[in-house]
Amino acid sequence: MQLGKCKIVNKSIIILGGGTAGWMCANLLQHALGKFGFNITLIESPEIGIIGVGEGSTPHLRNFFSILGISESQWMPKCNATYKNGISFDGWSQQQGYDNYFHPFPSLPDRQTAGGFLINCHLRRQGHQVDSHPNQYFLAAHLSKNNLSPKPKGHSPIRINYGYHFDSALLGSFLKDFAIKQGVTHVTAKIEHVEQHLSGDIAHLMSDQGETFSANWFVDCSGFTSKLLQQTLKSLQVTCLTMPQ
Ligand SMILES: Cc1cc2nc3c(=O)[nH]c(=O)nc-3n(C[C@H](O)[C@H](O)[C@H](O)COP(=O)(O)OP(=O)(O)OC[C@H]3O[C@@H](n4cnc5c(N)ncnc54)[C@H](O)[C@@H]3O)c2cc1C
C-alpha cells in the first residue's frame, strides 16, 4: 500500500496510555490511518490512572477538533466548556504598571497594533519610557476585561482567535468514547515488561497477567512513567514512534 510517498507494510499500532495524550493520539491516528486498514489499540491501566488535571487550552485545540470533524456544539456542552481569550499572568513583573499582563491569543485585527507593540518593546529595552504593556495592543485583553466572548452573536467578518476552558475529566471521557466509536480498540492491562528485538526496537508488551501485545508501531503516552521511551529505550525525547525490524 502507498501512503503519500511512504510504502506501508505493517498496519498495527499500540498506544500505551489512556490519558489526554493517549486518547488524542488514538483519535488522530484512527482518523488518519483507519481508512487504510490500520488497527489502532490503546492500552491503559486503571490501577496507574491518569493525571487528569488542567482545565484550559490554547487555540491549537481548535485545530484538533477541526481535523476530527467534531463541532463545538458536539463537544463543548458535554465537557462544560467555554471560550478562553487568553491567560492572565498576575505578579508577572516588579516594574510599576507591569505587575500583571494578559497573554493574548493574537487575531488578525491585532496586526494593526502588534507592530507598534514590538517597536515599543524594542525602544523600552533601550531605555525609552514608552508604553509596551501588551494589554494596550491586543484585542483579547479588552474582551476579557469586559467579559466579552471572542465569538460575536450573529455574523461577523472579523475572526478572533480563542482557546477553551473545560472539565478535563469530561473531555477525557468524550475523547475516549469518540475514539472507540471510530474503531479504536480499548484494552485494560498493566504493562510490566517490554520485550525488545536485538536491535533494541520494541517487539511486544507484556502485562502483569502474562498477556502479550504485539504491534508494528508503538506510541508512548504513558505520562511521567514513560514506560517505552525512557524506561525501555532510554530516550529523552518526549514523543516518538518506534518500529521494529
Ligand atoms: C496542576 C496541573 C495543572 C495543569 N493544567 C493544565 C492546563 O490547564 N492545560 C493543559 O493542557 N495541561 C495542564 N496540565 C498538564 C496536563 O494535566 C498533563 O500534561 C496531561 O494530563 C498529561 O496527560 P498524559 O496523557 O501525558 O499522561 P497521564 O494522564 O499520566 O496518562 C498516562 C496513562 O498511561 C497509562 N500507563 C502508564 N504506565 C502504564 C503501564 N505500565 N501499563 C499500562 N498503562 C500505563 C496510565 O494508566 C494512563 O492512562 C496541568 C498539570 C497539572 C499537574
Side-chain angles (χ1 to χ4, degrees):
M1 172 206 298
Q2 290 285 132
L3 185 67
K5 285 186 179 167
C6 164
K7 195 172 180 199
I8 303 292
V9 181
N10 303 306
K11 288 191 182 173
S12 59
I13 301 176
I14 283 179
I15 299 162
L16 180 63
T20 320
W23 287 114
M24 287 182 85
C25 178
N27 274 297
L28 287 174
L29 288 179
Q30 182 65 30
H31 176 78
L33 300 175
K35 53 184 174 273
F36 295 108
F38 277 72
N39 293 312
I40 317 286
T41 301
L42 183 145
I43 302 175
E44 67 170 326
S45 163
E47 199 183 309
I48 295 171
I50 60 169
I51 294 184
V53 290
E55 74 303 316
S57 83
T58 62
H60 294 292
L61 196 61
R62 294 176 63 195
N63 299 338
F64 170 78
F65 283 115
S66 158
I67 289 168
L68 296 179
I70 301 174
S71 67
E72 290 181 341
S73 58
Q74 269 175 287
W75 78 270
M76 287 183 74
K78 289 186 176 156
C79 303
N80 292 342
T82 187
Y83 302 110
K84 172 176 174 177
N85 286 312
I87 305 161
S88 185
F89 286 93
D90 291 331
W92 176 252
S93 158
Q94 290 176 346
Q95 290 264 354
Q96 203 183 359
Y98 290 81
D99 54 326
N100 65 61
Y101 95 99
F102 191 79
H103 180 83
F105 299 143
S107 303
L108 214 53
D110 293 319
R111 277 194 180 181
Q112 308 294 328
T113 49
F117 169 68
L118 294 174
I119 289 168
N120 278 7
C121 287
H122 184 63
L123 289 172
R124 204 174 165 88
R125 274 198 295 273
Q126 292 178 333
H128 300 283
Q129 288 306 306
V130 292
D131 186 351
S132 63
H133 198 297
N135 291 13
Q136 308 300 334
Y137 296 85
F138 294 91
L139 202 51
H142 294 279
L143 292 174
S144 183
K145 193 175 168 194
N146 294 297
N147 292 325
L148 291 171
S149 159
K151 289 194 88 163
K153 278 184 184 169
H155 176 74
S156 165
I158 298 173
R159 299 219 166 179
I160 298 171
N161 213 359
Y162 58 86
Y164 304 102
H165 275 291
F166 45 80
D167 181 323
S168 65
L170 293 177
L171 182 60
S173 61
F174 177 89
L175 293 176
K176 176 179 178 177
D177 292 348
F178 193 83
I180 292 169
K181 272 188 205 142
Q182 302 308 309
V184 172
T185 305
H186 180 214
V187 173
T188 302
K190 184 178 178 189
I191 300 303
E192 215 148 70
H193 179 69
V194 181
E195 195 68 33
Q196 290 171 269
H197 289 288
L198 284 177
S199 64
D201 291 335
I202 294 171
H204 55 257
L205 314 181
M206 288 178 71
S207 77
D208 57 352
Q209 303 298 312
E211 303 148 291
T212 300
F213 301 97
S214 304
N216 307 117
W217 298 75
F218 296 88
V219 186
D220 190 351
C221 293
S222 61
F224 284 128
T225 61
S226 194
K227 185 76 181 164
L228 307 184
L229 281 171
Q230 286 181 25
Q231 283 190 31
T232 307
L233 299 175
K234 315 294 179 206
S235 165
L236 291 177
Q237 286 175 302
V238 179
T239 50
C240 86
L241 294 168
T242 65
M243 186 174 172
Q245 292 178 329

